[in-house]
Coordinates of all heavy atoms in Angstrom, one line a residue:
I197 N 59.6 -65.6 -60.0 CA 60.0 -66.8 -60.6 C 61.3 -67.3 -59.9 O 61.4 -68.5 -59.7 CB 60.3 -66.7 -62.1 CG1 59.0 -66.3 -62.8 CG2 61.0 -67.9 -62.7 CD1 59.2 -66.0 -64.3
Y198 N 62.1 -66.4 -59.5 CA 63.4 -66.8 -58.9 C 63.7 -65.7 -57.9 O 63.6 -64.5 -58.2 CB 64.5 -66.9 -59.9 CG 65.8 -67.3 -59.3 CD1 66.1 -68.6 -59.1 CD2 66.7 -66.3 -59.1 CE1 67.3 -69.0 -58.5 CE2 68.0 -66.6 -58.5 CZ 68.3 -68.0 -58.3 OH 69.5 -68.3 -57.8
T199 N 64.2 -66.0 -56.7 CA 64.7 -65.0 -55.8 C 66.0 -65.6 -55.2 O 66.2 -66.8 -55.2 CB 63.8 -64.8 -54.6 OG1 63.5 -66.0 -53.9 CG2 62.5 -64.2 -55.1
Y200 N 66.9 -64.7 -54.8 CA 68.1 -65.1 -54.2 C 68.3 -64.2 -53.0 O 68.3 -62.9 -53.1 CB 69.3 -64.9 -55.1 CG 70.6 -65.2 -54.4 CD1 71.1 -66.5 -54.2 CD2 71.4 -64.1 -54.0 CE1 72.2 -66.7 -53.5 CE2 72.6 -64.4 -53.3 CZ 73.0 -65.7 -53.1 OH 74.2 -65.9 -52.4
K201 N 68.5 -64.8 -51.8 CA 68.8 -64.1 -50.6 C 70.2 -64.5 -50.1 O 70.4 -65.7 -50.0 CB 67.8 -64.3 -49.5 CG 66.4 -63.9 -49.9 CD 65.4 -64.3 -48.9 CE 64.0 -64.3 -49.5 NZ 63.0 -65.1 -48.9
A202 N 71.0 -63.6 -49.8 CA 72.4 -63.9 -49.4 C 72.3 -64.7 -48.1 O 71.4 -64.4 -47.2 CB 73.2 -62.7 -49.1
P203 N 73.2 -65.7 -47.9 CA 73.2 -66.4 -46.6 C 73.4 -65.5 -45.5 O 74.2 -64.6 -45.6 CB 74.4 -67.4 -46.8 CG 74.6 -67.5 -48.2 CD 74.2 -66.2 -48.8
G204 N 72.6 -65.6 -44.4 CA 72.7 -64.7 -43.3 C 72.1 -63.3 -43.5 O 72.3 -62.4 -42.7
A205 N 71.3 -63.2 -44.5 CA 70.7 -61.9 -44.8 C 69.8 -61.5 -43.6 O 69.1 -62.3 -43.0 CB 69.8 -61.9 -46.0
L206 N 69.9 -60.2 -43.2 CA 69.1 -59.7 -42.0 C 68.0 -58.8 -42.4 O 67.9 -58.4 -43.6 CB 70.1 -58.9 -41.1 CG 71.3 -59.7 -40.6 CD1 72.2 -58.8 -39.8 CD2 70.9 -60.9 -39.7
N207 N 67.1 -58.6 -41.5 CA 66.0 -57.6 -41.7 C 65.0 -57.9 -42.8 O 64.4 -57.0 -43.4 CB 66.6 -56.2 -41.9 CG 67.5 -55.8 -40.8 OD1 67.2 -55.8 -39.6 ND2 68.7 -55.3 -41.2
L208 N 64.8 -59.2 -43.1 CA 63.9 -59.5 -44.2 C 62.5 -59.2 -43.8 O 61.7 -59.0 -44.8 CB 64.1 -61.0 -44.5 CG 65.5 -61.4 -45.1 CD1 65.5 -62.9 -45.3 CD2 65.8 -60.6 -46.3
G209 N 62.1 -59.1 -42.6 CA 60.7 -58.9 -42.2 C 60.2 -57.5 -42.7 O 59.0 -57.4 -43.0
D210 N 61.0 -56.5 -42.8 CA 60.5 -55.2 -43.2 C 61.2 -54.8 -44.5 O 61.1 -53.6 -45.0 CB 60.6 -54.1 -42.2 CG 62.0 -53.8 -41.8 OD1 63.0 -54.5 -42.1 OD2 62.2 -52.8 -41.1
D211 N 61.8 -55.7 -45.2 CA 62.5 -55.5 -46.5 C 61.4 -55.2 -47.5 O 60.4 -56.0 -47.6 CB 63.3 -56.7 -46.9 CG 64.0 -56.4 -48.2 OD1 63.4 -56.6 -49.3 OD2 65.2 -56.1 -48.1
P212 N 61.5 -54.2 -48.4 CA 60.4 -53.8 -49.3 C 60.2 -54.9 -50.4 O 59.2 -54.9 -51.1 CB 60.8 -52.5 -49.9 CG 62.3 -52.4 -49.7 CD 62.6 -53.2 -48.4
I213 N 61.1 -55.8 -50.6 CA 61.0 -56.8 -51.6 C 60.7 -58.2 -51.0 O 59.8 -58.8 -51.2 CB 62.2 -56.9 -52.5 CG1 62.4 -55.6 -53.3 CG2 62.1 -58.0 -53.5 CD1 61.3 -55.1 -54.2
F214 N 61.6 -58.6 -50.0 CA 61.5 -59.9 -49.4 C 60.6 -59.9 -48.2 O 60.2 -61.0 -47.8 CB 62.9 -60.4 -49.0 CG 63.8 -60.5 -50.2 CD1 64.9 -59.7 -50.4 CD2 63.6 -61.5 -51.1 CE1 65.7 -59.8 -51.5 CE2 64.4 -61.7 -52.2 CZ 65.5 -60.8 -52.4
G215 N 60.2 -58.8 -47.7 CA 59.3 -58.7 -46.5 C 57.8 -58.9 -46.9 O 57.0 -59.0 -46.0
V216 N 57.5 -58.8 -48.1 CA 56.1 -59.0 -48.6 C 56.1 -59.9 -49.8 O 57.0 -59.9 -50.6 CB 55.4 -57.6 -48.9 CG1 55.2 -56.8 -47.6 CG2 56.1 -56.9 -50.0
G217 N 55.0 -60.6 -50.0 CA 54.9 -61.4 -51.3 C 54.1 -60.6 -52.3 O 53.9 -59.4 -52.2
G218 N 53.8 -61.3 -53.3 CA 53.0 -60.8 -54.4 C 53.7 -60.5 -55.7 O 54.8 -60.9 -55.9
D219 N 53.0 -59.6 -56.4 CA 53.5 -59.3 -57.8 C 54.0 -57.9 -57.8 O 53.7 -57.1 -56.9 CB 52.3 -59.5 -58.8 CG 51.9 -60.9 -58.9 OD1 52.8 -61.7 -59.3 OD2 50.7 -61.2 -58.7
L220 N 54.8 -57.6 -58.9 CA 55.4 -56.3 -59.0 C 54.3 -55.2 -59.4 O 53.6 -55.4 -60.4 CB 56.5 -56.3 -60.1 CG 57.7 -57.1 -59.7 CD1 58.7 -57.1 -60.9 CD2 58.5 -56.4 -58.5
A221 N 54.2 -54.2 -58.7 CA 53.4 -53.0 -59.0 C 54.3 -51.9 -59.4 O 55.2 -51.5 -58.7 CB 52.5 -52.6 -57.8
F222 N 54.1 -51.3 -60.6 CA 54.9 -50.3 -61.1 C 54.2 -48.9 -61.1 O 52.9 -48.9 -61.3 CB 55.4 -50.5 -62.6 CG 56.4 -51.6 -62.7 CD1 56.8 -52.0 -64.0 CD2 57.0 -52.2 -61.6 CE1 57.7 -53.0 -64.1 CE2 58.0 -53.2 -61.8 CZ 58.3 -53.6 -63.1
N223 N 54.9 -47.9 -60.8 CA 54.3 -46.5 -60.9 C 53.1 -46.4 -60.0 O 52.0 -45.9 -60.5 CB 54.1 -46.1 -62.3 CG 55.4 -46.0 -63.1 OD1 56.4 -45.7 -62.6 ND2 55.3 -46.4 -64.4
W224 N 53.2 -46.8 -58.8 CA 52.0 -46.8 -57.9 C 51.7 -45.4 -57.4 O 52.2 -45.0 -56.3 CB 52.1 -47.8 -56.8 CG 50.8 -48.2 -56.3 CD1 50.1 -47.7 -55.2 CD2 49.8 -49.1 -56.9 NE1 48.9 -48.2 -55.1 CE2 48.7 -49.1 -56.1 CE3 49.9 -49.9 -58.0 CZ2 47.5 -49.8 -56.4 CZ3 48.8 -50.7 -58.3 CH2 47.6 -50.6 -57.6
G225 N 51.0 -44.6 -58.1 CA 50.7 -43.3 -57.7 C 49.4 -43.2 -56.9 O 48.5 -44.0 -57.1
Y226 N 49.4 -42.4 -55.8 CA 48.3 -42.2 -55.0 C 48.4 -40.8 -54.4 O 49.4 -40.4 -53.9 CB 48.2 -43.3 -53.9 CG 49.4 -43.4 -53.0 CD1 49.4 -42.9 -51.7 CD2 50.6 -43.9 -53.4 CE1 50.5 -42.9 -50.8 CE2 51.7 -44.0 -52.6 CZ 51.6 -43.5 -51.3 OH 52.7 -43.5 -50.5

Side-chain angles (χ1 to χ4, degrees):
I197 293 174
Y198 179 85
T199 60
Y200 174 79
K201 298 174 198 156
L206 303 174
N207 304 311
L208 295 177
D210 65 348
D211 183 279
I213 301 299
F214 297 111
V216 294
D219 292 303
L220 292 173
F222 287 174
N223 299 324
W224 201 262
Y226 59 105

